[in-house]
Amino acid sequence: MNNTVGKIERIRGNLKQIVDELPSRNKTSKYYGKDALSLIDIMIRRLSDE
């Protein structure tokens, strides 16, 4: 299970880097990216609790 969490954490890091590099004028993309990051955070927490 830890291997899965590690992979998801790496994906989260990559996504965060992409979202952070988006220009501020791309508000919709930034919002969707932040929503995706929140979902990944929830997944990591739930998998870590198992």
Side-chain angles (χ1 to χ4, degrees):
M1 190 63 69
N2 289 335
N3 191 24
T4 302
V5 173
K7 288 178 182 178
I8 294 172
E9 287 175 342
R10 283 194 297 277
I11 292 169
R12 185 200 182 281
N14 292 341
L15 179 60
K16 181 165 177 26
Q17 186 176 13
I18 291 168
V19 170
D20 289 345
E21 291 176 2
L22 286 172
S24 59
R25 68 177 184 273
N26 292 348
K27 291 183 189 289
T28 304
S29 299
K30 278 190 157 310
Y31 288 137
Y32 282 129
K34 289 179 182 179
D35 287 345
L37 287 171
S38 297
L39 177 63
I40 291 173
D41 286 339
I42 292 168
M43 289 171 55
I44 290 170
R45 271 187 258 127
R46 289 193 178 173
L47 287 171
S48 296
D49 289 343
E50 291 182 352

